[in-house]
Amino acid sequence: MATTPFSSLQMAVSRSCISSSQRSSAMAVCGKSMVGSWNKLASVCHVASVQSFQRVFTSSTIKSEEFVTKAMSESSEKSLVSGLPIDLKGKRAFIAGVADDNGYGWAIAKSLAAAGAEILVGTWVPALNIFESSLRRGKFDESRVLPDGSLMEITKVYPLDAVFDNPEDVPEDIKTNKRYAGSSKWTVQEVAESVKEDFGTIDILVHSLANGPEVTKPLLETSRNGYLAALSASSYSYVSLLKHFLPIMNPGGSSISLTYIASERIIPGYGGGMSSAKAALESDTRVLAFEAGRKRKIRVNTISAGPLRSRAAKAIGFIDMMIDYSLANAPLQKELSAEEVGNSAAFLASPLASAITGTVLYVDNGLNAMGVGVDSPIFKDLDIPKDQH
């Protein structure tokens, strides 16, 4: 079964600035403390808005040496800059599962590009011609605009079907399928080899794809083949990608996938084994974090994203309902944007997240924290704050 681009309800269901601040001169050395203040600190994050704030910080005497994180400017690595920028200049990212300009994969590519990373993408083979044609004809130009006004550049687009690990896995009916005609070297192993031949190494690997052929069926009506196909395309495909790309990932790199709250909560309508596939993906994230961390010092995390009104998500049929539910019940009453997920991925890929691995990061306006739906009539007499805008 072929994989399709990942989207909001995380299969076909799949600005905040990752801002940080820098202390301006408060360091205790050899038992002597110095007092500094956080004055008008501004994030220089290139993937969203810039905000400034003030905070007074008083350092107490510390006997041991205190280490201070320094953010270096591009012009001089010895000069301090305001804030802690997400700087991915000189890094190369491979994003698997980009086939249009309105899903999470595209948003992640944009945020990584805005932070300075070089972008390579893997596109599902049957969608390759349309995607490349749209790029050439400028249909995505408006969506390619970065915060500095430049256009995101995709260095190379690779044909990819992550259901197949190597050529020997490809059945004859797929080999002869006209949708695959004209494309070659699109199994996971072959794509990793091609990237190595073309570029040598990468620093960031993103898995943004999933497929469940029976996703609209309740679990009790899901066939064995449909269930296993969902796990193959949505979960094992990530294991396979990391397995084959790990040898060409630079130590200290980052690998990111996308998951969905159905892995741990009941989401009626998200069937066909997809909830099981997402649970497997999250479990694999923890195991892969250990194995890839020990082997290559690679961090492995997954983002549990809220619903997005993407083209792929509309195929499920109830994406608008899920977005309305989130708006009514999440702590933050606003529609989630793809950019917010992209910026979170840029943070996880950056040195600012150098100690974060094996984690499920929820980017869903806090909906995951809710135990009940507050829009239920049962709560009508409670004084629950609501967004009036």
Side-chain angles (χ1 to χ4, degrees), residues 2-20:
T3 55
T4 56
F6 192 95
S7 60
S8 68
L9 269 176
Q10 303 324 317
M11 89 121 260
V13 192
S14 161
R15 175 162 30 163
S16 57
C17 180
I18 305 164
S19 62
S20 47

Side-chain angles (χ1 to χ4, degrees), residues 22 44 68-73 76-85:
Q22 182 177 336
V44 291
V68 177
T69 302
K70 297 181 179 180
M72 300 300 179
S73 68
S76 172
E77 292 187 353
K78 295 184 179 180
S79 62
L80 283 170
V81 297
S82 177
L84 286 172

Side-chain angles (χ1 to χ4, degrees), residues 58-188:
T58 304
S59 175
S60 58
T61 302
I62 305 175
K63 293 184 179 181
S64 60
E65 179 178 0
E66 180 180 337
F67 295 94
V68 177
T69 302
K70 297 181 179 180
M72 300 300 179
S73 68
E74 183 179 6
S75 59
S76 172
E77 292 187 353
K78 295 184 179 180
S79 62
L80 283 170
V81 297
S82 177
L84 286 172
I86 291 183
D87 186 358
L88 298 175
K89 294 181 181 68
K91 305 297 183 181
R92 183 177 297 114
F94 182 88
I95 300 99
V98 180
D100 59 34
D101 64 341
N102 73 344
Y104 284 140
W106 178 274
I108 291 172
K110 277 189 69 175
S111 291
L112 295 177
E118 180 180 12
I119 304 301
L120 314 174
V121 303
T123 299
W124 186 45
V125 184
L128 182 66
N129 289 337
I130 295 176
F131 180 67
E132 290 188 314
S133 174
S134 296
L135 277 175
R136 287 193 303 268
R137 293 164 56 192
K139 291 185 65 175
F140 297 153
D141 282 0
E142 184 177 348
S143 300
R144 290 171 58 203
V145 178
L146 300 177
D148 65 359
S150 64
L151 297 182
M152 174 179 67
E153 296 294 337
I154 297 177
T155 302
K156 188 164 184 177
V157 179
Y158 291 86
L160 170 67
D161 194 329
V163 162
F164 305 108
D165 296 333
N166 52 61
E168 291 71 31
D169 291 341
V170 183
E172 193 61 31
D173 63 320
I174 294 294
K175 291 179 181 178
T176 58
N177 190 314
K178 61 182 180 181
R179 302 175 77 191
Y180 287 75
S183 296
S184 60
K185 298 182 177 180
W186 41 260
T187 65
V188 176

Side-chain angles (χ1 to χ4, degrees), residues 235-255:
S235 304
Y236 186 77
S237 58
Y238 184 44
V239 177
S240 180
L241 273 172
L242 190 53
K243 172 185 176 180
H244 289 93
F245 275 87
L246 189 63
I248 66 170
M249 292 188 72
N250 292 317
S254 174
S255 183

